[in-house]
Amino acid sequence: MKAAALVRTKGALAALVAGWRRKGLSVGFVPTMGALHAGHAELVRRAARENDRVVVSVFVNPKQFGPNEDYGRYPRALPADRRLVSAAGAAAVYAPSADEMYPKGFTTHVEVEGLSDLYCGKYRPGHFRGVATVVLKLFNRVRPDRAYFGEKDWQQVRVLETMVRDLDVPVEIVRVPTVREGDGLALSSRNAYLSADQRAAAPALRRALEAGRQEHRRPHSRPETVAAAVRASLAKSPSRSSTPPSSRAGCSSPPTSERPGSLTTSLSK
């Protein structure tokens, strides 16, 4: 296994990618915050199948954390991350510092209005502004043909798809199905925070979303009946979610191609 090149600066990254482009090679991109797991490895493998070279970024982005969130204790494990993505087929790991990404005097931000304030965004004000800002900067530095995101972070993917569409960013967003534990819990770097009791209760959310999906498939289902099915399933569990699942699609005005309930359907995949 050849280790992925470790790149720290935008100048070095630009030179590396320019060399690939001169050879006519395509570039895939997987942005991450590190503490990588099998779900990230699947993103890299998919990117490696569909592109000649793959860049993985590892950057814990301070702009997407609220004042009382876990920026300081978010797990950081760059050597292990580099080994994992190298084995999955990455050619380079871009691991910039915060000063490299946000130099002194940085004042510009990107915000997808409306969608960023729903669901998770309602409870984490400014989170998706931070996500959109850092991802656009990374797109400008890597200049990939395709970028790969897990469907687990469904609202994030919708925010970034909207940003790319609205700002004419020449990148194809590729959704990759969620990778799960045997009991249905989606793999996440933050699963390490769960206590034994919380870990045992966590799969109840997947079961609730699956109940919502089954209701959504009924010919005459409505947003209210989908939401009721989700809540009824959750009521059977000792766990409680701080963000009750919604049965509306992931934007203030759902696309006509998405029936009510598509948020629940997507999240339960």
Side-chain angles (χ1 to χ4, degrees):
M1 176 190 73
K2 183 178 180 180
L6 180 59
V7 183
R8 294 286 195 175
T9 67
K10 63 181 180 180
L13 177 66
L16 180 64
V17 174
W20 295 339
R21 293 301 193 186
R22 284 194 294 270
K23 297 176 182 178
L25 302 178
S26 61
V27 178
F29 178 45
V30 180
T32 82
M33 291 207 305
L36 306 183
H37 50 66
H40 296 104
E42 180 57 28
L43 296 177
V44 178
R45 284 192 291 268
R46 172 77 176 269
R49 290 195 300 269
E50 298 178 358
N51 302 274
D52 298 311
R53 297 290 186 270
V54 177
V55 176
V56 177
S57 64
V58 175
F59 177 62
V60 183
N61 177 31
K63 290 192 175 293
Q64 67 190 70
F65 288 80
N68 298 314
E69 294 185 351
D70 59 339
Y71 174 71
R73 65 188 182 99
Y74 192 88
R76 292 160 170 83
L78 182 58
D81 292 343
R82 187 182 179 194
R83 290 192 295 270
L84 183 146
V85 301
S86 296
V93 172
Y94 178 46
S97 67
D99 288 341
E100 167 82 7
M101 289 301 296
Y102 304 117
K104 185 177 180 180
F106 183 89
T107 59
T108 302
H109 298 84
V110 180
E111 186 162 9
V112 178
E113 295 181 347
L115 176 55
S116 296
D117 299 323
L118 300 174
Y119 311 123
C120 180
K122 178 179 179 181
Y123 297 88
R124 303 182 71 189
H127 169 70
F128 289 112
R129 184 174 90 152
V131 170
T133 299
V134 76
V135 171
L136 183 59
K137 284 179 66 70
L138 289 167
F139 283 172
N140 286 336
R141 293 185 179 189
V142 179
R143 299 193 177 276
D145 298 286
R146 302 169 191 87
Y148 295 77
F149 297 88
E151 289 181 337
K152 174 180 72 68
D153 299 310
W154 185 86
Q155 187 175 4
Q156 172 178 278
V157 175
R158 292 288 289 117
V159 166
L160 296 175
E161 288 173 337
T162 303
M163 178 190 76
V164 163
R165 181 198 68 196
D166 290 353
L167 300 182
D168 301 316
V169 183
V171 177
E172 177 187 353
I173 302 292
V174 180
R175 298 187 184 190
V176 179
T178 302
V179 178
R180 298 182 180 276
E181 301 278 8
D183 61 2
L185 180 65
L187 293 181
S188 171
S189 302
R190 287 188 169 101
N191 286 352
Y193 296 162
L194 299 176
S195 68
D197 288 345
Q198 289 169 335
R199 175 62 184 82
L205 181 58
R206 170 81 192 285
R207 291 192 293 269
L209 292 170
E210 183 61 33
R213 178 162 67 171
Q214 293 302 321
E215 172 62 24
H216 166 60
R217 287 174 170 171
R218 294 177 61 245
H220 302 294
S221 67
R222 304 187 311 278
E224 296 80 5
T225 64
V226 174
V230 171
R231 294 190 180 99
S233 180
L234 283 174
K236 300 174 184 177
S237 167
S239 65
R240 291 291 183 270
S241 171
S242 64
T243 54
S246 169
S247 59
R248 285 195 63 181
C251 51
S252 54
S253 299
T256 56
S257 62
E258 294 187 84
R259 284 186 59 205
S262 61
L263 171 61
T264 299
T265 300
S266 178
L267 288 175
S268 63
K269 289 179 180 177

